[in-house]
Amino acid sequence: MSSNKILSIVCASIVWVFGVSFYLLSFYIPILENPEQQATIVLVFAIIPSACFGTYLFYKKGSMKPSTLALTFVFVATILDALITVPIFVIPNGGSYSEFFGDPMFFTILVEFYFIVLYFGTYLIKQEKA
């Protein structure tokens, strides 16, 4: 496996850790009556700087088309959700794989994640060439 692929997986994993951390931490600061909704809102906003940070880290040392990097980030996050998030955090709280992966917000956040990495990666590449 090439160093670019390994670096992209590591950076994607770092972003995933940030996302899960913000999601879980939001339960300890109750603001809304619905803690699940609050956690989702926190994740929607937290994924922006997290994805930018991961993209920035990758492009400091790596080289890859932004669209490929974005797909890698989304794929890694989905795999980590399937292997870690659902069995450790969702199922013990009464959820299921179908509930987690069937939630429209899951796909909304994935699309958001993809486009943040795509656009910020494109921006970073253009800045590097300028």
Side-chain angles (χ1 to χ4, degrees):
M1 189 177 286
S2 77
S3 63
N4 278 329
K5 288 181 184 176
I6 293 169
L7 181 60
S8 68
I9 292 168
V10 168
C11 290
S13 300
I14 291 169
V15 174
W16 176 82
V17 167
F18 281 140
V20 170
S21 298
F22 280 112
Y23 184 85
L24 294 174
L25 286 172
S26 72
F27 285 99
Y28 294 99
I29 306 169
I31 296 171
L32 301 179
E33 286 184 30
N34 183 339
E36 280 291 324
Q37 184 181 31
Q38 175 180 308
T40 300
I41 291 168
V42 167
L43 181 57
V44 165
F45 287 108
I47 202 70
I48 297 167
S50 300
C52 290
F53 178 70
T55 304
Y56 172 78
L57 282 180
F58 175 80
Y59 282 114
K60 279 182 73 168
K61 295 189 179 195
S63 175
M64 185 180 285
K65 286 174 43 177
S67 58
T68 305
L69 183 65
L71 284 174
T72 302
F73 274 31
V74 166
F75 182 73
V76 168
T78 303
I79 295 299
L80 290 172
D81 280 340
L83 294 175
I84 299 171
T85 306
V86 176
I88 294 176
F89 302 113
V90 175
I91 291 174
N93 289 311
S96 67
Y97 277 97
S98 59
E99 183 181 300
F100 183 84
F101 289 108
D103 185 352
M105 280 309 295
F106 173 77
F107 295 101
T108 303
I109 292 168
L110 281 184
V111 169
E112 174 194 18
F113 190 24
Y114 175 85
F115 282 109
I116 291 166
V117 175
L118 175 70
Y119 288 124
F120 192 62
T122 302
Y123 169 79
L124 290 174
I125 288 173
K126 285 180 181 178
Q127 291 300 311
E128 185 179 288
K129 290 180 181 177

